[in-house]
Each structure stands twice: as C-alpha cells, then as structure tokens.
Amino acid sequence: RLRITVLNKKKIHWKKNKYRKLGLCAGIIGATALLLLVIYMVCSVLGAKREEERVREADTMLAELNLSVNLLEINKYSRPGTKLEKVKGVVVHYTANPGTDAIANRNYFNNLPKINAKKGTNTYASSHFVIGIDGTIVQCIPTGEIAYASNDRNLDTISIECCHKKKSGKFTKETYRSLIRLTKYLCIRFGLEIKDVIRHYDVTGKNCPKYFVEHPDAWTRFLAETEAELAQ
C-alpha cells in the first residue's frame, strides 16, 4: 500500500508539472502571437504612412509635368476599361510614325473602332501616355486600367509611347527629357525601381523603341540618368 501511495503521489506530481509546462508553453505562444500582431500592426501603419508620403511626392511631381489628360473612349480595341491590378513595371515604346505629334497618335487609338470597321481589321493598340516631339505628354488611359501596348505585360505595366521626327526613332531633347521625368514620376508613384523600367523589346523582342534597341548604350544612359533623378 505504501508503494502504491508513493507511486500515486509521483503520478500526481508529474501531472502537475506537465500542466505547468503546458501552461507555460501556452503563455509563451500567446505572448509571441501578441508580439507578432503588434509588430504587424506597427509595420502596417508605417507602410501606409510611407505610401501616403510617396503618393504626395508623386502628386507634386505630376503637377509639374507638361501633361494633359485626354482619355480614350471606352472600346474593345484600345481602352477596354479592364482593371490593372498591380503596377510592376514601366514599358517604353516609340510610335513608329515619324513626324506625328502626341495628339495625332492619341486620336489614332481612339478611332480604332472606326478604322477597323472600315478596313475589316482587328487592330488592338493604345498606351497610357504619349509624349510629343515638343515634350508635351498626353494621358490616354488611366493608370488604373490596362492598355494594349506590351503584349503579355499589359496586365501589370504602364506604357509610354514616344513620338520622334525621323525613321531612326531617336527622340528630341524635349521628348527625352519628358520621358525621364514621366518615368521618374511613375516609379515614385508605384514604388518601382529602375530595374522595373523596360523596353517593348524586352517583352517580345520587337524593335521598339527602335533607337534604344539599336543603340543599347543610349538605353543604358537613359536608365542611368533616370536613376540619378530618382536618387535626388
């Protein structure tokens, strides 16, 4: 009987220790979960604050750009109105129409339903922005919608079409400067890095923008100058 009593006491003592350990573990897990929740909430608040600051900075820049908003009419060939879920890059293009200005290219996109109906074609094309030879910028599509410009990257990129005087596709100083400023704005607005700025060529291998594809050093210089602007 004495042996049974001792064994029972040991068993009760073991159970008490077990419950204490379980309680301690539960307390540690609870405290860790609470700490992680606090960290998450703090990070969320700080992230939201940084987002607000970035948007304010971008809005200030936008006001300084030589930009006019002339949105395309909703249509299936150039502005489907499809939501762009998340911006992951900026794609640079050239119009391939030497001597034309920004508004002429914008109007071409807008008139595609009529052009296709007349010619019996099914051309899909557009761009969020078109930069003219004189450096003016026309916004054709809201940055919250997709444009038909960059093939497989239509769903997660903002497109910029650039006008040019000659077949070489080389941009004027005014176009080039506006391209840097607009790219900088978009990078800041959407939290992008310089590695997220690409050519149409980098998506499909198409010779677009022609001058930057045929002169890789000019493209490298553009990226370097844009990155320098972002660092200011």
Side-chain angles (χ1 to χ4, degrees):
R1 288 179 180 176
L2 179 61
R3 186 170 180 273
I4 293 173
T5 301
V6 171
L7 289 173
N8 285 338
K9 286 182 177 180
K10 286 183 177 179
K11 188 175 182 181
I12 292 170
H13 180 70
W14 178 82
K15 285 184 176 180
K16 286 182 178 179
N17 285 338
K18 179 182 178 182
Y19 292 138
R20 287 196 194 99
K21 290 178 180 178
L22 287 174
L24 180 61
C25 289
I28 292 173
I29 292 172
T32 302
L34 180 60
L35 178 61
L36 291 174
L37 178 61
V38 171
I39 292 173
Y40 172 78
M41 292 176 66
V42 170
C43 290
S44 296
V45 171
L46 291 176
K49 186 175 180 180
R50 284 195 294 269
E51 173 73 13
E52 290 176 3
E53 290 174 351
R54 192 174 74 241
V55 171
R56 280 198 299 269
E57 181 182 357
D59 287 343
T60 299
M61 289 185 57
L62 183 62
E64 297 173 352
L65 290 175
N66 185 14
L67 182 146
S68 63
V69 179
N70 196 340
L71 301 180
L72 308 181
E73 297 171 7
I74 295 289
N75 71 89
K76 73 174 185 176
Y77 294 109
S78 58
R79 188 190 169 191
T82 305
K83 184 178 180 181
L84 200 165
E85 296 293 341
K86 183 174 177 60
V87 178
K88 296 182 179 179
V90 175
V91 186
V92 179
H93 306 255
Y94 88 128
T95 62
N97 292 318
T100 58
D101 61 12
I103 198 64
N105 285 278
R106 178 266 172 204
N107 290 342
Y108 167 74
F109 295 145
N110 197 59
N111 291 330
L112 271 176
K114 295 178 181 179
I115 294 172
N116 283 329
K118 184 177 181 180
K119 294 184 176 181
T121 54
N122 284 294
T123 299
Y124 293 81
S126 57
S127 182
H128 291 91
F129 300 92
V130 182
I131 302 177
I133 292 173
D134 61 355
T136 58
I137 304 169
V138 176
Q139 182 173 5
C140 305
I141 294 179
T143 54
E145 297 179 14
I146 71 166
Y148 289 142
S150 307
N151 303 75
D152 292 341
R153 296 300 305 274
N154 285 338
L155 293 175
D156 66 357
T157 59
I158 299 294
S159 56
I160 304 174
E161 286 276 359
C162 299
C163 297
H164 49 98
K165 283 185 175 182
K166 300 179 180 179
K167 290 183 179 180
S168 67
K170 186 176 182 179
F171 305 145
T172 63
K173 292 180 180 179
E174 292 80 7
T175 304
Y176 184 81
R177 182 58 189 163
S178 288
L179 177 59
I180 289 177
R181 296 176 66 204
L182 179 57
T183 302
K184 176 183 178 180
Y185 157 73
L186 292 171
C187 284
I188 292 174
R189 175 63 182 80
F190 295 102
L192 305 175
E193 300 177 17
I194 199 64
K195 65 180 178 61
D196 301 316
V197 181
I198 60 176
R199 301 163 294 184
H200 191 181
Y201 168 82
D202 299 312
V203 180
T204 64
K206 182 178 180 179
N207 192 22
C208 174
K210 180 178 171 66
Y211 191 80
F212 280 156
V213 174
E214 297 178 355
H215 299 81
D217 56 324
W219 174 247
T220 300
R221 184 167 59 253
F222 163 73
L223 292 178
E225 291 179 11
T226 304
E227 187 171 29
E229 288 278 343
L230 282 167
Q232 293 181 3

